[in-house]
Amino acid sequence: MSTAHAEDLPLIRLRGLTKVYGQGQAAFQALKGVDLDIEAGDFVAIMGPSGSGKSTVMNTLGCLDTPTGGEYLFHGLHVERLGRDQRARLRRRYLGFVFQGFNLLARTSAQENVELPLLYRGEPAAARHRAARAALASVGLAGWEHHTPAELSGGQQQRVAIARAIVTQPEVLLADEPTGNLDTQRSHEIMELLWRLNEEQGITVLMVTHEPDMARYARRIVHFVDGCIDSDTRNPEPGPQARHAAPVQEAG
Amino acid sequence: MLLNTLLLALREIRRNLLRSFLTILGIVIGVSAVITMVTLGNGATRAVQQQIAALGTNLLMVMPGQRLGPGRSSAGAPTFKEADVEAIRQQIGGVNVVAPQLMSSVTLVANGRNWSSTINGTSNEYFISNNWTLVSGRQFEEAEERAGSAVCVIGETVRRELYGSASATEVLGQPLRIKNFSCEIIGVLLSKGQSGMGSDQDNMVVMPLRTVQRRISGSQRVDVLLVSLQEGSDSERVKASLTNLLRERRNLSDTDEDNFNILDTRQFADAMAGTTQVMTMLLGAVAGVSLLVGGIGIMNIMLVSVTERTREIGIRLAIGALEREVLLQFLIEAVALAALGGLIGVVLATLASLALSAIMQMPYVFDPGINVLSFAFSAAIGVVFGYFPARRAARLDPIEALRHE
């Protein structure tokens, strides 16, 4: 681990990041040299039209994918040089994921779903149960532990997914269109929950969204177009009050 | 880690109970088929051995004729004489008892009923050589044997068919009509049941040799010499000296072939047991193929399962499962399924073997080897056929897997 400059470095640093899918004539350049620094404790919304590279950059930030070129430093660690299992260890140590489709294990209780990452961490059963119950309580699902995803509403399922993401007390929470499958009311509830996690627990939240209403909760909004950062603005009024505020002015 | 993975696998099996059951059905059938076949085969072998032991182990049966087998001819070969019995008894070492045998098929009459049976003219030694016990009455007296008295010991079947309700002691002293003479029942034999060849050993009347020679066959011949060997004596050596003695007594020159045959019941028993063992192995092998087919069934379902659960695998990988953890999970799932199938198979086979042994009237012989082997084999099948699907699951790209619908 090259953590020598860890103190001077932001939590996340992307430099000249490129990603090419396919080869030869069919090659498609999804990222065309992205430079991005993200400080710990920030709440970043990544926006952009389809094919702009926002999902690709999210997958790269989530250590699920490796870039074709450029550098990705996480805590000063060169993620682009890591192997599959090393990235998996990084994910289970530092990262939590929330997906658009909730991605809970079917026919598995909320409790067991939330315990899953702890199982891979090798936590003892008692600690797992305790942590999972606490995480479910913190997303407002105390008493729903033994319900399976099929018995929960979309909003509740997404809360279970968030509980699963935060049960390991990650430094970074990556949310890929977390409100994409929810109605407006549920969407705002989920966003308030993410905001609270960021505000109260200091978890860095990285969120991909195409809904400006949801992006307004973030402290910083990064706009992608055609594989490049098009705009990068700070939101002067982040958080739940944004719900009733006027649309944010997008630079660029 | 391993315990957790096992837990995950078991949870997964429980979550898909019906599919898990269908998956292991092949293994269950395979394992139970192998064990049942082998267990029944062992039982059959044991049954054959027991029946031949009942016939009298270490028994040499000497018969006139050139050779045994198809097309054998005893015509022309001189029969034995009563004096041969005495000669063997005196001149050959390692012999326990020697009994002559003269058989004749007759119709018995008693209580106004008819019954077809076999008369066996012999001596008291026959009871020893062929392991017969009397349930009631007595053996022949020496005077009766010498004089050829009209006395007889009857088998259980004869008692049942002709005297019906009269017990083994009640029939003693009763008359039994054979052809044109009547003889007195002096004993009843303990039942032996069917022989290894399926004939009823209890359908028989034993009489002194001379009685049969004079009153039924009307000749001095003896059909078979039964030579029972002493425990631990070398049957090959006894056979050799017996051959020499009989050649001498039957005036055969060095160039003549033997005109008699010596059948060793132990060799016969070994041959019979060997045949059933070969059958057992064959049946076991056929059943083994079904076990293999069961394994392919597991691989099939596991592959389907991997495709079906692609998204789940994606979630696990994203959450931070290592490649080998996913591999292990699916592998353990396959092995646990196969082992569970093996276990159910063992239980099922035990029940089936017990039931079938009872129906087929064979002894139930528990063979721990085949049970352990089949179970281990089923688990091994889980490893072999589970590895490929498991590796496929572990190598999935998490992003692709998460996108999978």
Side-chain angles (χ1 to χ4, degrees):
Chain A
M1 271 206 171
S2 55
T3 51
H5 310 288
E7 268 96 84
D8 333 327
L9 282 168
L11 175 64
I12 287 168
R13 168 162 284 180
L14 303 181
R15 281 294 175 270
L17 201 74
T18 60
K19 180 71 184 180
V20 180
Y21 290 113
Q23 280 178 331
Q25 294 252 305
F28 169 72
Q29 191 157 20
L31 294 178
K32 299 169 179 167
V34 173
D35 297 336
L36 185 67
D37 284 356
I38 296 168
E39 297 293 341
D42 211 347
F43 189 154
V44 184
I46 297 170
M47 301 192 69
S50 322
S52 62
K54 62 183 193 298
S55 285
T56 306
V57 84
M58 195 67 167
N59 287 336
T60 308
L61 287 170
C63 304
L64 289 167
D65 206 356
T66 45
T68 310
E71 288 185 341
Y72 171 21
L73 290 153
F74 183 87
H75 268 303
L77 186 73
H78 282 273
V79 175
E80 79 276 5
R81 296 177 195 163
L82 298 181
R84 224 175 115 102
D85 275 355
Q86 284 171 306
R87 280 185 281 123
R89 284 180 200 284
L90 204 67
R91 285 199 294 274
R92 72 175 167 201
R93 172 78 186 77
Y94 296 105
L95 308 181
F97 288 88
V98 177
F99 307 95
Q100 178 179 358
F102 318 138
N103 281 340
L104 298 175
L105 297 191
R107 283 162 290 163
T108 307
S109 72
Q111 172 90 14
E112 284 177 61
N113 262 295
V114 175
E115 280 184 26
L116 197 61
L118 298 175
L119 206 62
Y120 286 115
R121 274 196 178 183
E123 302 269 346
R128 274 202 321 262
H129 299 331
R130 206 172 333 112
R133 264 197 303 276
L136 280 168
S138 77
V139 298
L141 282 179
W144 294 84
E145 287 87 353
H146 300 293
H147 290 72
T148 61
E151 298 162 355
L152 297 170
S153 71
Q156 286 172 321
Q157 288 186 53
Q158 194 61 300
R159 284 162 187 276
V160 174
I162 293 172
R164 181 181 64 190
I166 61 169
V167 75
T168 56
Q169 297 174 315
E171 292 192 8
V172 182
L173 185 66
L174 295 107
D176 193 353
E177 306 225 21
T179 59
N181 284 6
L182 300 175
D183 62 37
T184 317
Q185 177 62 27
R186 297 315 133 216
S187 294
H188 282 291
E189 284 170 18
I190 292 299
M191 287 316 300
E192 279 168 30
L193 183 57
L194 292 180
W195 169 256
R196 227 163 21 83
L197 292 171
N198 174 255
E199 178 78 2
E200 291 168 13
Q201 296 183 32
I203 298 175
T204 309
V205 179
L206 308 180
M207 175 183 74
V208 165
T209 185
H210 58 262
E211 297 169 88
D213 284 353
M214 303 305 139
R216 253 177 243 128
Y217 282 82
R219 298 172 192 276
R220 179 182 174 191
I221 298 167
V222 180
H223 222 99
F224 274 78
V225 173
D226 284 340
C228 297
I229 292 175
D230 184 54
S231 72
D232 186 349
T233 52
R234 296 220 66 90
N235 183 359
E237 271 191 302
Q241 61 270 31
R243 190 167 172 180
H244 311 291
V248 104
Q249 290 302 312
E250 283 177 43
Chain B
M1 225 288 297
L2 203 68
L3 191 75
N4 280 339
T5 317
L6 184 68
L7 215 71
L8 276 175
L10 290 179
R11 192 174 289 174
E12 196 52 47
I13 290 171
R14 208 184 51 206
R15 229 167 52 168
N16 291 298
L17 217 52
L18 179 65
R19 192 180 64 188
S20 301
F21 171 72
L22 292 175
T23 307
I24 63 176
L25 205 56
I27 294 279
V28 170
I29 292 171
V31 167
S32 53
V34 169
I35 298 178
T36 309
M37 288 302 164
V38 172
T39 306
L40 288 183
N42 286 343
T45 309
R46 178 73 62 86
V48 167
Q49 284 167 340
Q50 279 175 354
Q51 279 158 353
I52 290 171
L55 199 76
T57 43
N58 269 1
L59 186 67
L60 301 181
M61 296 172 76
V62 190
M63 286 169 270
Q66 243 66 42
R67 60 188 161 84
L68 269 179
R72 75 166 181 162
S73 107
S74 57
T79 59
F80 300 113
K81 296 185 186 67
E82 210 185 336
D84 291 328
V85 176
E86 197 53 40
I88 294 167
R89 201 178 281 151
Q90 282 172 0
Q91 293 176 38
I92 309 234
V95 168
N96 185 15
V97 292
V98 186
Q101 208 177 14
L102 173 57
M103 312 278 268
S104 182
S105 291
V106 290
T107 301
L108 308 172
V109 185
N111 289 335
R113 275 180 269 188
N114 287 350
W115 184 249
S116 293
S117 185
T118 309
I119 295 285
N120 191 353
T122 183
S123 65
N124 278 332
E125 277 91 344
Y126 172 73
F127 300 118
I128 300 165
S129 68
N130 284 35
N131 287 350
W132 283 106
T133 319
L134 293 174
V135 275
S136 70
R138 58 174 177 86
Q139 299 186 348
F140 309 121
E141 278 166 10
E142 215 185 313
E144 289 168 341
E145 289 194 340
R146 213 175 317 117
S149 307
V151 289
C152 62
V153 173
I154 60 170
E156 170 59 22
T157 306
V158 175
R159 184 202 64 75
R160 192 182 62 235
E161 295 297 336
L162 291 180
Y163 300 96
S165 56
S167 74
T169 37
E170 283 164 354
V171 298
L172 296 178
Q174 294 214 26
L176 174 64
R177 253 194 99 69
I178 301 161
K179 285 194 169 174
N180 54 0
F181 73 102
S182 175
C183 75
E184 183 196 344
I185 297 171
I186 60 164
V188 179
L189 296 168
L190 180 69
S191 173
K192 272 190 185 183
Q194 287 199 339
S195 74
M197 278 67 81
S199 61
D200 182 1
Q201 298 178 92
D202 299 325
N203 186 13
M204 173 178 70
V205 175
V206 185
M207 297 177 91
L209 175 68
R210 284 188 186 169
T211 315
V212 180
Q213 285 179 334
R214 285 178 198 162
R215 304 208 184 200
I216 297 169
S217 74
S219 73
Q220 294 294 303
R221 72 189 163 90
V222 169
D223 285 338
V224 181
L225 299 174
L226 299 169
V227 181
S228 149
L229 303 181
Q230 278 168 7
E231 198 56 50
S233 64
D234 180 0
S235 73
E236 289 307 314
R237 203 185 49 75
V238 174
K239 256 195 267 185
S241 40
L242 192 57
T243 307
N244 281 337
L245 178 69
L246 287 173
R247 285 182 70 88
E248 199 182 297
R249 289 184 64 81
R250 291 159 82 85
N251 298 319
L252 295 175
S253 69
D254 290 348
T255 52
D256 287 337
E257 266 189 69
D258 291 347
N259 58 4
F260 58 89
N261 262 294
I262 303 175
L263 179 79
D264 188 338
T265 53
R266 172 166 286 178
Q267 277 179 2
F268 190 61
D270 289 348
M272 287 280 282
T275 311
T276 50
Q277 266 160 4
V278 168
M279 284 299 289
T280 304
M281 274 157 63
L282 263 173
L283 286 171
V286 171
V289 171
S290 71
L291 192 52
L292 204 70
V293 173
I296 292 169
I298 285 211
M299 176 154 79
N300 188 10
I301 295 290
M302 289 307 291
L303 275 173
V304 170
S305 172
V306 167
T307 311
E308 196 183 276
R309 287 156 65 192
T310 299
R311 211 169 157 79
E312 176 200 321
I313 295 161
I315 298 169
R316 291 179 186 280
L317 288 168
I319 277 173
L322 303 183
E323 207 173 303
R324 66 158 187 274
E325 284 168 339
V326 173
L327 181 96
L328 213 59
Q329 184 196 333
F330 276 81
L331 199 56
I332 285 180
E333 208 174 303
V335 174
L337 273 175
L340 192 69
L343 204 65
I344 297 174
V346 167
V347 173
L348 220 61
T350 307
L351 295 178
S353 305
L354 279 170
L356 287 172
S357 296
I359 291 168
M360 293 159 86
Q361 293 181 325
M362 289 190 319
Y364 170 72
V365 186
F366 179 75
D367 183 346
I370 193 67
N371 281 280
V372 171
L373 190 76
S374 303
F375 179 73
F377 191 65
S378 67
I381 273 179
V383 175
V384 172
F385 290 106
Y387 182 76
F388 176 60
R391 202 191 55 177
R392 194 150 142 179
R395 298 226 173 136
L396 282 175
D397 175 20
I399 300 165
E400 292 288 327
L402 280 171
R403 217 174 275 153
H404 190 267
E405 286 305 322

